[in-house]
C-alpha cells in the first residue's frame, strides 16, 4: 500500500492503494468517478483518457504512484450548472455522440489538443484523436465538433 | 488512523470485522456508516425507542448508546443476520403472518429484542414478551400483533415449524408485499441510502420563536475544514416556500421568524458530523418580536397580525334548519372541550437524499404521501418551470409512518437544494429533537357545544363553535377545518345544526394533517358531549346513541342523505355485544383505591378528499411476454398496507399467481398519479382504478380462455390462479398468456377512477360532501387508581364498518394501532409549548403508549359491502382512532366520576380534579 496525493478536478485527494494500481482503477473504483471509461485496459481504445497536468493520457496505463502531486482532469470537471461547456455543446450539436461510451475520452483528448493548439487544422485533429476509437459515429461528426470554436 | 482511535475486532452476523473506532463512536454509527449495515434503525439516539436494538453476545442492546469499543471481541447479530439466505427465521415469518409489520421502521429492533428473549426463554408468556419489548416503541401496530407474533414464533421454534404465507385471495391475509424486505433489514428507508461523493447538510434553526432576522454570519462555520457551503434564502433559485394549499412556509426563513421550527440556513459539508458541528457555529442575529401563543390572544381586537391577511387562516359555517319541535320540552346542555398539540411521533425522523441521475434528472428520494405533490413543490423551489417536470423525479423510499405528517415536506427541499447547488448527491437527516420542533402537529382545538334535547332523549338541535390553532403556517388549514366541522356533530342525526369553525394563526407551533384530519378532535368532543347529555338524562349511553344515530336515509349535518348503508347502529350493537356492554345496570365499581369504568362511543368518517376536490386514482396493468403481470400506481404505501391490498384486488380479478405479479408504486417517473395517500382513500379510490384496469384486461383474456376451454365465456370463473369452467376443465395463467401473445392482443390497460363529490355551499355549508362514509364504534373498560391517579385501559372492543375487508390481519393491525394511538391521545400525549418554546422534545417527555400499557383489543368487522367500493371495500386507516379515543375518555369519566374536558388526562390531572377523599 502506498499513500498517493494528487488533485482531481481541483480537489486534493489522498488514496492508500497498491502503488501499481492504474490511475483508471483509482478514479473509477476508489474515487467513484465513473465518467472515465474502461474499454480495453491496454492503451488501445482511448476511452479512459484524462488530462494529467494538461496532457491527455490513457489512464489505464499509468500507475497511480506516478501521479503524486500532479493535477488530473476528468470528464466530471466539464459538468457545470447553467450553460454547458463549449466542447460539450459542440459534441451535442454536431451529433458527435451516439452510444456515448467513447465520448468522455474523446472530449478529454480534444480538450488537451485545444488547450495546446486553439486552432488545429483538420489533419491535426485526425492525428491527435487517432488514439480514440469510436464504433458508432464514423468519426466525422467528432472531428467537426472539435473543429468548432465557440 | 484517526487520533484517539483504537482497533477493535468483532464478528457481525458471523463475519469477522476489524476496524479503528474512536471512544465517542457508538456501535450504531459503526454498523450503519462504516459497515453499511443499515438494518438497525435510528429513532432517537437516546436509548428510548429501541429501533436500534441489536444482539451482542446474546443480549439485546440499544446500539445508539453502546460505545463501539465495548464490542471488541464480541459476537453481534443484527436483523440482517436473522435469515439464512432465503429462509426466514420463524420470528420473521411470524411477524409477517400476524400483521406485526406496518411501516417496518420499528421492526428490526422489535425482532432483535424478541430474538434475545427467545434465546433465554423458549416458553415466554405475554408478560415475558411485554417485559422484554417494553423499550421498543411502535407507532403503527398497537403492539398486539407483535406480541402475537413473538408467541407464535416461540411455539413454532419449539415445534420446529415456521409460519407460512397464505393465499392471495381477497379476504385472506398473505404476507405484505414489502414484508420480506422489512423483516430482513433490506428495505431502505431514506437515511439508509448512500451515494458516492455524497455531501451532508444540516439545518440551522432559529434562536427565537418569534422575531426578525438581522444577520446571518456563516464565517465561523465556513472556516471548519470539510464545510462546503452555508446556504440561506438568497441561494434558493425559485420560490422560497412549501405548502400545497398556500405556499407560506419558507424553506429557509428570510426576515420573519414565526415559530421555533423555522430553519434559517443550511450547512453543507463532507460528513454529517462536520455539517452538524458547523451548523452550531452559524451565528443568527435576531430582534425578538412579541409572539402570539394562544388563539384567544390571536383573536383579541388589535392583536398584531402574524400574516398580512390577519390571524384567521380560514373560517366556515354549516347551517341546517330542521323542523322546530315546539311540543316537546327541551333541555339545553352546554360543554366546552379542549385539546393540545399532538405529535405524530413517527419512528423514522424526516430524511431525504437527492442525486442527479445519469440522465441529468434530479432524483429525490424521501418519505412521502404523494410523490406528485412533492415534485410540484420541489420544482417551484428549484425554479424548474411548469411543464418541465421531467427534470425532476421523486421516489418514495420505504417510509417509517406518515399519519399526515409527510404531507408537509421538510427534509426533501433541503436535500434537493444541497444537491442542486453542489451538483453532488446530498443527504439530510433530522434528529429527533429537530423532528419535534419543526414538523406539523395535530391542531389544538377549543370546541363549545350547545344542544337542545327533547324529553324522549332526541337531540333536536346543536350549535357548535370550533376554533383550531393552525400555528405559524396554514398547511391544509381550510380542509382540516372542514373535515373537523362536517364531523363535529358525531355520527348523529340532528335536525337543526349551526356549526361555526375558525382556524387561527399563532406562533406556538405548526399544525397540519394528522390521522383523522381534524375529525379526531371534533368527534372526541362530540362524544364527550353526548355522554354528558346521556348522563344528565340518566339514559344508558348505548341506548341514547342508538336513539340519535345516523341510519340509512338520515341526513348528516351537511344535509347529505346516507344511502345503501345501515350506518351507526350495526357497529354500535356489534361492539356492545362483543364487549358485553354492562348496560343501564352498570355503575361505577370501586374496590379499595381502584375504580372501574366503562365507555362507549361511535364515529363516522367521510372517505376521500370530498368537497368536490378532484379525487382520482389511476392504475396501469401490463402483462410481459413471460406472463408476468406488472401493476403500477402512484399510490404510496407508508405501512398501512395499500400496496398489498391493491395487489390482492388485481390477483383476485385476473387469477394471476402471486409469483407472477409485481406492483410498482410512488415514483413520478414510472407510475401514474394516483393522488395522496390520505383521507383513508387509497383502497377505495385507487382500489377502484386497479379493479377497472384489471377488469378491462380480463375482458380481453376471456375470449381466449373460452376458446382454450371450449366453453362459453359466461361460464368462466377465476379461482386461485386458474381460469375454469364447469365441465370444461381449467387452464393455467401461463397457457392463457402464451395464447394471448400468440394472438397479438393488447395486454396493457390503464384506468382512472374518479370519485365525484360536491363542494359545500359556502354560505350554508350544505352539500353531498363525501361519496361514502365508514362507521366505527368502540367500548372500553378502564381502571383508575384513586390514590396515585394511574389510569389503565383494561380492554376494548372496536367494531368497524369499512365495507368488505380485503386483508383481515392488516386491517386488524390498523385497528389495534389506531386504538393504542387513541389511548395515547387521551391519556398521555401532548406536545407542550410554553411561550413558543416546546417542552417535549424527546420520547421521555413526550409519552407514547408502550408495550406494557396496551389493553386487550377485540376487533370486530361488520362487513357491509359498500356498493361503490372495490369488491365492497371502503377505508379504515383513520376511522381506527376515531371511536376508540372517546370510548376511552368516557370510560375514564365513568371510573373517576368526574368529567375531563381537556386531554390528555394524565395521572397528575386526574388527581388534581378528584375530590379529596
Ligand atoms: S481503457 Fe485505456 S485505452 Fe482502452
Ligand atoms: S459513440 Fe459509441 S463508441 Fe463512439
Ligand atoms: S435509536 Fe437507539 S433507542 Fe432510539
Ligand atoms: S410498524 Fe412499528 S413503528 Fe411502524
Amino acid at each position: 500500500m502506498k499513500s498517493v496525493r494528487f488533485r482531481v478536478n481541483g480537489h486534493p485527494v489522498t488514496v492508500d492503494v497498491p502503488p501499481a494500481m492504474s490511475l483508471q482503477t483509482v478514479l473509477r473504483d476508489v474515487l467513484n468517478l465513473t465518467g472515465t471509461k474502461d474499454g480495453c485496459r491496454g492503451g488501445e481504445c482511448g476511452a479512459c483518457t484524462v488530462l494529467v497536468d494538461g496532457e491527455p493520457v490513457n489512464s489505464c496505463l499509468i500507475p497511480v504512484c506516478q501521479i503524486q502531486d500532479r493535477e488530473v482532469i476528468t470528464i466530471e470537471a466539464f459538468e457545470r450548472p447553467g450553460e454547458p461547456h463549449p466542447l460539450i455543446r459542440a459534441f451535442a450539436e454536431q451529433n458527435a455522440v451516439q452510444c456515448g461510451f467513447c465520448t468522455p475520452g474523446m472530449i478529454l483528448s480534444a480538450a488537451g489538443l485545444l488547450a495546446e493548439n486553439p486552432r488545429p487544422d483538420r489533419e491535426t485533429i485526425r492525428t491527435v484523436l487517432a488514439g480514440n476509437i469510436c464504433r458508432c459515429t464514423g468519426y466525422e461528426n467528432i472531428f467537426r465538433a472539435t473543429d468548432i470554436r465557440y | 488512523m484517526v487520533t484517539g482511535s483504537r482497533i477493535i475486532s468483532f464478528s457481525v452476523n458471523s463475519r469477522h470485522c476489524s476496524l479503528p473506532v474512536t471512544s465517542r463512536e457508538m456501535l450504531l454509527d459503526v454498523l450503519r456508516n462504516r459497515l453499511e449495515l443499515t438494518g438497525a434503525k435510528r429513532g432517537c439516539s437516546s436509548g428510548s425507542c429501541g429501533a436500534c436494538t441489536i444482539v451482542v453476545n446474546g443480549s439485546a442492546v440499544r446500539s445508539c448508546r453502546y460505545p463501539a469499543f465495548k464490542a471488541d471481541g464480541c459476537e453481534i447479530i443484527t436483523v440482517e443476520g436473522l435469515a439464512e439466505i432465503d429462509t426466514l427465521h420463524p420470528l420473521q415469518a411470524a411477524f409477517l403472518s400476524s400483521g406485526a409489520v406496518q411501516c417496518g421502521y420499528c421492526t428490526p429492533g422489535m425482532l432483535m429484542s424478541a430474538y434475545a428473549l427467545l434465546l433465554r426463554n423458549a416458553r415466554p408468556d405475554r408478560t415475558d414478551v411485554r417485559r422484554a419489548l417494553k423499550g421498543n416503541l411502535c407507532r403503527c401496530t398497537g403492539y398486539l400483533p407483535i406480541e402475537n407474533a413473538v408467541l407464535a414464533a416461540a411455539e413454532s421454534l419449539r415445534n420446529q415449524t415456521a409460519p407460512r404465507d397464505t393465499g392471495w385471495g381477497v379476504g385472506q391475509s398473505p404476507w405484505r408485499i414489502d414484508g420480506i424486505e422489512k423483516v430482513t433489514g433490506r428495505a431502505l428507508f431514506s437515511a439508509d441510502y448512500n451515494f458516492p461523493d455524497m455531501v451532508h447538510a444540516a439545518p440551522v434553526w432559529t434562536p427565537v420563536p418569534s422575531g426578525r432576522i438581522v444577520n446571518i454570519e456563516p464565517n465561523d462555520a465556513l472556516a471548519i475544514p470539510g464545510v462546503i457551503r452555508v446556504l440561506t434564502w438568497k441561494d434558493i433559485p425559485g420560490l422560497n416556500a412549501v405548502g400545497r394549499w398556500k405556499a407560506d412556509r419558507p424553506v429557509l426563513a428570510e426576515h420573519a421568524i414565526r415559530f421555533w421550527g423555522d430553519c434559517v440556513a443550511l450547512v453543507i459539508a463532507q460528513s454529517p458530523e462536520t455539517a452538524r458541528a458547523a451548523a452550531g457555529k452559524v451565528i443568527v442575529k435576531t430582534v425578538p418580536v412579541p409572539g402570539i401563543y394562544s388563539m384567544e390572544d390571536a383573536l383579541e381586537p388589535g392583536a398584531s397580525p402574524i400574516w398580512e391577511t390577519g390571524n384567521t387562516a380560514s373560517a366556515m359555517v354549516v347551517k341546517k334548519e330542521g323542523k322546530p319541535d315546539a311540543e316537546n320540552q327541551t333541555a339545553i346542555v352546554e360543554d366546552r372541550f379542549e385539546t393540545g398539540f399532538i405529535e405524530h411521533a413517527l419512528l423514522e425522523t424526516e430524511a431525504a437524499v437527492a442525486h442527479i441521475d445519469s440522465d441529468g434528472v434530479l432524483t429525490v428520494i424521501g418519505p412521502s404521501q404523494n410523490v406528485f405533490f412533492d415534485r410540484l413543490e420541489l420544482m417551484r423551489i428549484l425554479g424548474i418551470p411548469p411543464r418541465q417536470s421531467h427534470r425532476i423525479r421523486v421516489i418514495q423510499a420505504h417510509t417509517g409512518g406518515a399519519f399526515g405528517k409527510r404531507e408537509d415536506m421538510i427534509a426533501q427541499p433541503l436535500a434537493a437544494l444541497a444537491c442542486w447547488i453542489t451538483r453532488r448527491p446530498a443527504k439530510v437527516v433530522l434528529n429527533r429533537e429537530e423532528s419535534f420542533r419543526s414538523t406539523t402537529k395535530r391542531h389544538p382545538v377549543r370546541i363549545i357545544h350547545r344542544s337542545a334535547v327533547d324529553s324522549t332523549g332526541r337531540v333536536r338541535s346543536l350549535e357548535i363553535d370550533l376554533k383550531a390553532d393552525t400555528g405559524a403556517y396554514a398547511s391544509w388549514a381550510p380542509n382540516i377545518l372542514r373535515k373537523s366541522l362536517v364531523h363535529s356533530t358525531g355520527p348523529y342525526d340532528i335536525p337543526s345544526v349551526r356549526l361555526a369553525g375558525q382556524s387561527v394563526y399563532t406562533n406556538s407551533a405548526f399544525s397540519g394533517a394528522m390521522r383523522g384530519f381534524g375529525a379526531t378532535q371534533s368527534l372526541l368532543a362530540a362524544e364527550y358531549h353526548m355522554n354528558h347529555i346521556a348522563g344528565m338524562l340518566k339514559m344508558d349511553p348505548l341506548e341514547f346513541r342508538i336513539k340519535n344515530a345516523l341510519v340509512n336515509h338520515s341526513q348528516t349535518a351537511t344535509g347529505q342523505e346516507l344511502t345503501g348503508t345501515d350506518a351507526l347502529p350495526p357497529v354500535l350493537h356489534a361492539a356492545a355485544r362483543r364487549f358485553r356492554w354492562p348496560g343501564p345496570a352498570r355503575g361505577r365499581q370501586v374496590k379499595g383505591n381502584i375504580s372501574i369504568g366503562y365507555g362507549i362511543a361511535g364515529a363516522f368518517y367521510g372517505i376521500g378528499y370530498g368537497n368536490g376536490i378532484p379525487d382520482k386514482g389511476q392504475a396501469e396493468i401490463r402483462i410481459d411476454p413471460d406472463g408476468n403481470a406488472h401493476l403500477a400506481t402512484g399510490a404510496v404505501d407508508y405501512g398501512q398496507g395499500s400496496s398489498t391490498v391493491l395487489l390482492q384486488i388485481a390477483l383476485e380479478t385476473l387469477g394471476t399467481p402471486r409469483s407472477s405479479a409485481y406492483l410498482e408504486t410512488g415514483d413520478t417517473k414510472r407510475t401514474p398519479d394516483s393522488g395522496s395517500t390520505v383521507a383513508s382513500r387509497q383502497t377505495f379510490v385507487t382500489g377502484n382504478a386497479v379493479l377497472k384496469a384489471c377488469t378491462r384486461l380480463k375482458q380481453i383474456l376471456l375470449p381466449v380462455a373460452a376458446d382454450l376451454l371450449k366453453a362459453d365465456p359466461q361460464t368462466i370463473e377465476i379461482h386461485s390462479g386458474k381460469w375454469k369452467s364447469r365441465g370444461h376443465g381449467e387452464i393455467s395463467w401461463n397457457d392463457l398468456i402464451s395464447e394471448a401473445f400468440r394472438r397479438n392482443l393488447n395486454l396493457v390497460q390503464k384506468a382512472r377512477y374518479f370519485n365525484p363529490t360536491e363542494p359545500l355551499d359556502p354560505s350554508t355549508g350544505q352539500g353531498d360532501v363525501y361519496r361514502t362514509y365508514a362507521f366505527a364504534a368502540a367500548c372500553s373498560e378502564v381502571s383508575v387508581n384513586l390514590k396515585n391517579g394511574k389510569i389503565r385501559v383494561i380492554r376494548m372492543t372496536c367494531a368497524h364498518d369499512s365495507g368488505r375487508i380485503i386483508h383481515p390481519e392488516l386491517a386488524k393491525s390498523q385497528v389495534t394501532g389506531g386504538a393504542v394511538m387513541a389511548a395515547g391521545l387521551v391519556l398521555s400525549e401532548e406536545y407542550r409549548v410554553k411561550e413558543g418554546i416546546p417542552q417535549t422534545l424527546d420520547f421521555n417527555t413526550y409519552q407514547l403508549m408502550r408495550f406494557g400499557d396496551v389493553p386487550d383489543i377485540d376487533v370486530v368487522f361488520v362487513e357491509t359491502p359498500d356498493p361503490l367500493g372495490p369488491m365492497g371495500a371502503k377505508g379504515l386507516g383513520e376511522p381506527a382512532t376515531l371511536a376508540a379515543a372517546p370510548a376511552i375518555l368516557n370510560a375514564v369519566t365513568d371510573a373517576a366520576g368526574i368529567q375531563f374536558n381537556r386531554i390528555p388526562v394524565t395521572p397528575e390531572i386526574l388527581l388534581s380534579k378528584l375530590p379529596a377523599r
Side-chain angles (χ1 to χ4, degrees):
Chain A
M1 289 297 223
K2 186 171 161 40
S3 187
V4 187
R5 223 181 42 216
F6 55 103
R7 293 171 77 82
V8 178
N9 303 332
H11 301 292
V13 295
T14 307
V15 292
D16 290 302
V17 292
M21 186 181 263
S22 74
L23 175 58
Q24 178 193 47
T25 307
V26 170
L27 289 173
R28 286 181 55 83
D29 298 348
V30 180
L31 300 174
N32 277 309
L33 292 168
T34 53
T36 301
K37 297 296 173 233
D38 176 357
C40 69
R41 296 203 185 194
E44 291 171 62
C45 73
C48 64
T49 308
V50 299
L51 302 184
V52 173
D53 291 340
E55 194 63 32
V57 297
N58 288 334
S59 61
C60 67
L61 294 183
I62 301 204
V64 70
C65 56
Q66 291 183 11
I67 301 297
Q68 176 73 27
D69 293 331
R70 299 173 73 179
E71 173 88 41
V72 178
I73 301 288
T74 71
I75 187 70
E76 283 85 358
F78 287 68
E79 182 179 0
R80 54 192 207 195
E83 256 313 86
H85 186 281
L87 252 181
I88 302 261
R89 190 169 137 207
F91 266 64
E93 286 184 1
Q94 297 304 316
N95 269 325
V97 180
Q98 283 190 30
C99 80
F101 196 83
C102 70
T103 311
M106 287 290 182
I107 288 184
L108 270 296
S109 291
L113 164 65
L114 296 175
E116 182 122 305
N117 173 1
R119 300 200 161 270
D121 58 21
R122 237 350 135 83
E123 214 29 57
T124 316
I125 295 176
R126 272 174 196 279
T127 325
V128 171
L129 296 188
N132 291 70
I133 296 178
C134 175
R135 191 60 166 158
C136 308
T137 63
Y139 299 103
E140 190 45 41
N141 295 357
I142 295 178
F143 297 153
R144 237 198 352 260
T146 311
D147 214 358
I148 287 187
R149 288 144 209 142
Y150 288 109
Chain B
M1 208 198 291
V2 195
T3 37
S5 71
R6 61 186 244 218
I7 304 229
I8 59 163
S9 302
F10 52 87
S11 82
V12 186
N13 305 330
S14 312
R15 237 177 52 207
H16 180 78
C17 295
S18 195
L19 77 183
V21 297
T22 67
S23 56
R24 286 212 314 266
E25 243 172 317
M26 296 295 152
L27 194 48
L28 183 62
D29 304 317
V30 170
L31 292 172
R32 289 185 55 88
N33 305 345
R34 315 231 337 242
L35 301 175
E36 293 185 18
L37 289 169
T38 54
K41 300 291 176 243
R42 186 187 298 280
C44 66
S45 301
S46 60
S48 46
C49 77
C52 63
T53 307
I54 57 170
V55 171
V56 177
N57 287 349
S59 303
V61 306
R62 307 264 173 274
S63 61
C64 70
R65 304 275 278 184
Y66 192 90
F69 65 81
K70 270 178 63 185
D72 197 10
C74 291
E75 198 177 302
I76 297 173
I77 307 173
T78 70
V79 70
E80 289 95 339
L82 273 191
E84 310 247 353
I85 315 277
D86 272 337
T87 312
L88 295 184
H89 186 278
L91 262 173
Q92 294 169 309
F95 266 57
L96 294 177
S97 289
S98 309
V101 180
Q102 284 191 38
C103 79
Y105 201 80
C106 71
T107 308
M110 290 284 181
L111 282 167
M112 298 321 290
S113 292
Y115 180 78
L117 165 69
L118 298 186
L119 281 182
R120 56 171 199 271
N121 179 355
R123 290 183 180 280
D125 59 18
R126 280 188 187 273
T127 323
D128 300 328
V129 175
R130 290 186 173 208
R131 200 171 299 136
L133 273 61
K134 69 170 190 296
N136 293 70
L137 288 173
C138 172
R139 192 55 159 163
C140 307
T141 64
Y143 303 101
L144 293 175
I146 298 174
E147 181 176 289
N148 292 338
V150 177
L151 294 172
E155 192 181 324
S156 53
L157 274 167
R158 293 196 300 267
N159 310 338
Q160 313 250 323
T161 55
R164 302 259 296 268
D165 200 358
T166 66
W168 272 74
V170 164
Q172 286 179 294
S173 294
W175 291 0
R176 50 185 303 140
I177 67 172
D178 49 7
I180 292 182
E181 282 64 39
K182 285 178 174 173
V183 296
T184 52
R186 292 201 291 257
L188 296 183
F189 292 78
S190 302
D192 302 338
Y193 283 86
N194 288 304
F195 289 95
D197 202 29
M198 189 160 76
V199 300
H200 298 263
V204 178
W205 303 100
T206 170
V208 292
S210 170
R212 293 190 70 75
I213 302 176
V214 184
N215 189 26
I216 300 171
E217 181 41 71
N219 284 347
D220 290 358
L222 287 166
I224 297 176
V227 173
I228 298 166
R229 280 198 62 169
V230 176
L231 305 183
T232 66
W233 64 274
K234 293 189 189 123
D235 298 296
I236 296 177
L239 181 77
N240 178 18
V242 188
R244 275 304 295 136
W245 175 69
K246 189 181 206 173
D248 61 354
R249 182 181 186 185
V251 179
L252 298 174
E254 298 184 8
H255 308 294
I257 295 293
R258 296 188 186 82
F259 91 114
W260 190 243
D262 279 334
C263 179
V264 295
L266 185 69
V267 176
I268 307 176
Q270 303 285 5
S271 76
E273 297 76 27
T274 311
R276 284 227 168 270
K281 296 273 187 249
V282 175
I283 302 160
V284 183
K285 291 222 173 85
T286 54
V287 284
V289 169
I292 296 181
Y293 302 117
S294 74
M295 293 194 275
E296 288 68 32
D297 290 350
L299 295 175
E300 269 295 301
S304 64
I306 294 173
W307 290 95
E308 312 76 63
T309 47
N311 288 338
T312 297
S314 163
M316 72 173 287
V317 290
V318 173
K319 281 186 287 196
K320 185 177 72 165
E321 303 298 342
K323 279 198 227 75
D325 196 29
E327 297 131 56
N328 249 317
Q329 268 224 313
T330 53
I332 303 292
V333 186
E334 284 185 346
D335 273 310
R336 178 192 166 102
F337 193 83
E338 281 178 33
T339 69
F341 288 106
I342 304 291
E343 159 67 25
H344 305 63
L346 311 174
L347 263 276
E348 181 202 22
T349 61
E350 292 59 37
V353 287
H355 68 105
I356 294 177
D357 78 4
S358 93
D359 294 320
V361 175
L362 175 75
T363 305
V364 182
I365 303 172
S368 183
Q369 293 191 231
N370 183 334
V371 287
F372 294 89
F373 277 177
D374 295 351
R375 181 178 69 179
L376 220 73
E377 296 205 36
L378 291 170
M379 284 171 66
R380 246 175 11 196
I381 294 166
L382 298 175
I384 299 176
R387 288 166 290 282
Q388 293 191 14
S389 55
H390 64 277
R391 292 173 58 194
I392 169 163
R393 174 181 185 187
V394 178
I395 301 174
Q396 183 217 15
H398 283 287
T399 298
F403 307 119
K405 195 189 282 288
R406 314 291 197 190
E407 289 189 61
D408 294 273
M409 287 191 295
I410 168 123
Q412 297 93 317
L414 300 177
L417 269 176
C419 171
W420 194 251
I421 285 172
T422 62
R423 299 270 130 182
R424 287 168 66 182
K427 176 148 126 180
V428 173
V429 182
L430 299 196
N431 61 32
R432 181 54 60 185
E433 182 181 331
E434 292 174 320
S435 172
F436 267 107
R437 76 183 289 175
S438 66
T439 59
T440 55
K441 304 287 171 276
R442 186 190 284 292
H443 288 68
V445 295
R446 196 224 58 208
I447 306 182
I448 295 170
H449 289 88
R450 189 165 192 274
S451 286
V453 193
D454 71 18
S455 53
T456 70
R458 279 279 282 145
V459 181
R460 308 299 314 178
S461 72
L462 177 53
E463 276 173 43
I464 291 178
D465 178 61
L466 182 153
K467 296 216 179 340
D469 183 347
T470 192
Y473 302 103
S475 182
W476 289 108
N479 305 47
I480 294 170
L481 182 66
R482 186 189 317 117
K483 200 147 214 172
S484 204
L485 214 57
V486 162
H487 292 85
S488 65
T489 55
Y492 302 107
D493 183 355
I494 299 168
S496 289
V497 297
R498 276 174 173 272
L499 319 174
Q502 189 175 11
S503 192
V504 183
Y505 291 118
T506 69
N507 298 111
S508 297
F510 168 34
S511 306
M514 183 172 178
R515 200 179 204 174
F517 211 57
T520 312
Q521 298 95 305
S522 66
L523 283 164
L524 175 57
E527 282 298 53
Y528 165 85
H529 181 60
M530 294 298 160
N531 233 48
H532 184 195
I533 303 176
M536 283 188 42
L537 300 173
K538 302 219 166 6
M539 272 176 86
D540 174 36
L542 169 63
E543 186 198 335
F544 173 75
R545 283 178 170 78
I546 294 287
K547 193 168 210 103
N548 287 286
L550 287 171
V551 296
N552 202 11
H553 302 300
S554 339
Q555 271 192 1
T556 65
T558 69
Q560 177 171 7
E561 184 185 329
L562 299 177
T563 53
T565 168
D566 291 325
L568 188 65
V571 282
L572 267 178
H573 285 306
R577 197 166 44 241
R578 281 277 282 266
F579 184 79
R580 292 186 307 278
W581 175 250
R586 84 193 208 295
R588 184 165 163 233
Q589 304 161 22
V590 187
K591 249 197 211 129
N593 289 325
I594 302 293
S595 175
I596 304 282
Y598 299 96
I600 189 166
F604 74 135
Y605 195 69
I607 300 300
Y609 296 154
N611 198 47
I613 300 168
D615 192 358
K616 291 169 284 196
Q618 297 191 96
E620 187 181 316
I621 179 116
R622 173 186 90 208
I623 309 297
D624 294 330
D626 69 338
N628 190 61
H630 181 277
L631 181 67
T633 163
V636 300
D637 184 340
Y638 41 72
Q640 86 289 11
S642 56
S643 293
T644 305
V645 161
L646 296 175
L647 194 63
Q648 275 179 287
I649 293 175
L651 298 185
E652 177 94 1
T653 313
L654 286 172
T656 319
R658 165 68 181 109
S659 55
S660 303
Y662 177 68
L663 170 71
E664 202 167 2
T665 61
D667 178 343
T668 55
K669 183 173 168 185
R670 302 173 59 106
T671 63
D673 186 355
S674 217
S676 302
T677 300
V678 300
S680 304
R681 64 183 283 281
Q682 288 300 11
T683 298
F684 185 77
V685 179
T686 304
N688 264 317
V690 167
L691 183 63
K692 208 159 149 185
C694 293
T695 306
R696 284 185 187 154
L697 188 63
K698 181 177 158 188
Q699 294 309 327
I700 294 172
L701 292 172
L702 261 181
V704 183
D707 289 353
L708 288 176
L709 288 168
K710 302 196 178 28
D712 178 354
Q714 306 285 327
T715 65
I716 293 179
E717 283 174 3
I718 298 173
H719 221 69
S720 41
K722 297 271 194 281
W723 293 52
K724 37 184 119 168
S725 168
R726 197 184 287 271
H728 294 261
E730 55 181 44
I731 44 164
S732 71
W733 174 254
N734 287 356
D735 294 343
L736 178 67
I737 295 304
S738 305
E739 180 58 22
F741 267 96
R742 216 166 288 134
R743 298 183 184 190
N744 271 323
L745 296 173
N746 173 17
L747 301 184
V748 182
Q749 291 297 322
K750 293 184 189 185
R752 192 185 85 143
Y753 176 80
F754 184 68
N755 179 33
T757 52
E758 261 181 21
L760 291 176
D761 180 301
S763 59
T764 62
Q766 296 293 290
D768 290 356
V769 59
Y770 297 105
R771 192 94 180 283
T772 188
Y773 292 84
F775 289 87
C779 298
S780 106
E781 175 179 339
V782 308
S783 72
V784 166
N785 184 319
L786 301 171
K787 193 143 172 230
N788 63 18
K790 284 225 172 81
I791 304 171
R792 249 196 89 74
V793 185
I794 300 167
R795 66 186 178 103
M796 298 192 67
T797 300
C798 300
H800 285 268
D801 179 0
S802 286
R804 181 152 171 224
I805 297 298
I806 308 239
H807 191 303
E809 284 301 333
L810 284 179
K812 243 165 75 183
S813 184
Q814 274 295 305
V815 176
T816 52
V820 170
M821 195 182 271
L825 172 76
V826 174
L827 300 178
S828 65
E829 291 180 35
E830 182 169 7
Y831 178 73
R832 288 191 305 277
V833 186
K834 211 163 144 193
E835 300 289 294
I837 314 271
Q839 311 292 304
T840 46
L841 290 168
D842 57 39
F843 288 140
N844 297 326
T845 47
Y846 190 87
Q847 298 210 334
L848 302 174
M849 291 281 124
R850 289 184 175 266
F851 229 109
D853 305 324
V854 172
D856 288 334
I857 302 174
D858 183 17
V859 181
V860 194
F861 291 114
V862 177
E863 295 188 59
T864 321
D866 187 87
L868 300 169
M871 306 188 166
K874 295 194 269 200
L876 181 64
E878 293 164 286
T881 50
L882 299 178
I888 295 168
L889 180 65
N890 290 341
V892 174
T893 303
D894 190 41
I898 33 174
Q899 301 211 74
F900 298 92
N901 68 349
R902 191 182 191 288
I903 52 162
V905 186
T906 59
E908 299 73 49
I909 291 185
L910 187 112
L911 282 185
S912 72
K913 293 257 173 129
L914 278 181
R917 293 208 299 154

